[in-house]
Structures are given as C-alpha cells and as structure tokens.
Amino acid sequence: MLEAARRQGLAVPDDLAVMSFDDTLVAAMACPPLSAVRQPFEELGREATRVLLDLSQGRPPASSRIELATELVLRTSTAAQPAPARTVGRAALAPQDYVSAGRPSSRPR
C-alpha cells in the first residue's frame, strides 16, 4: 500500500492515512511506521484452547461469540486532521477549544 501510494504521488499521512491490523514488526518498521490495531494474541490463544477443550469433552461453548479487547497503536502513518472551526455567536471556536482532558467542558451554545 505504501509503495502504491508513493507511485501515485500520494504522501502518507498527508494525502492518505494507512492502518495495519495485528501490529506486526513489519508495521512498526515501515516507512512511515504504520498505525495499527493490536490483537491480544495470548488471550486469543487461551480462549481458543478453552473452547477446544470444552468441545473435546462434549460440552458446547459457553458462548457463540467471544469478544476480546483490541488496542489502537497510533504511529505516523495516520494524522488527525483538525476539525474545521465553527462559528458560535461572534467567536470562531474549534472543538479543541472547549474539550479538556477528553471530557466536554462548558460548551458554548
């Protein structure tokens, strides 16, 4: 993907954001390093083993669906674009002007 973007004259992340899944060493070593969704492989293996052992003993799986938490690893292949400013009354405010520590503060109305 990165090479195809280069051939098309696209700059990552300026023109194109690129994400990876599984957060491999290759993703971390790419140029630019790829942002990724990291899976909990050890926990995935434990859950798969538990299900297989249950099945081998004639017990159905406890659930037909198992969800495991993933982790977002941000690197330089993605860049958040600033939100456009919006006019509130007479002042132009961007979202970061009224969000503090990830929680909305007193938002202008």
Side-chain angles (χ1 to χ4, degrees):
M1 174 60 83
L2 294 173
E3 184 56 31
R6 279 189 204 96
R7 286 187 199 146
Q8 294 297 314
L10 298 172
V12 174
D14 298 328
D15 301 318
L16 177 70
V18 178
M19 290 285 300
S20 171
F21 199 79
D22 290 342
D23 193 28
T24 63
L25 182 59
V26 172
M29 301 294 289
C31 185
L34 298 177
S35 293
V37 175
R38 181 181 293 157
Q39 293 190 82
F41 289 117
E42 189 173 312
E43 188 178 356
L44 185 63
R46 274 195 307 269
E47 287 297 319
T49 301
R50 184 183 58 75
V51 168
L52 287 172
L53 288 172
D54 283 350
L55 289 171
S56 72
Q57 295 173 4
R59 293 189 305 253
S63 174
S64 62
R65 180 182 175 115
I66 299 171
E67 291 186 25
L68 303 176
T70 57
E71 180 183 354
L72 178 61
V73 180
L74 294 174
R75 297 193 180 102
T76 56
S77 69
T78 55
Q81 298 297 317
R86 60 180 214 170
T87 302
V88 178
R90 294 181 182 240
L93 297 176
Q96 63 270 18
D97 293 332
Y98 55 83
V99 175
S100 173
R103 292 189 202 126
S105 56
S106 55
R107 288 186 174 198
R109 297 189 196 270

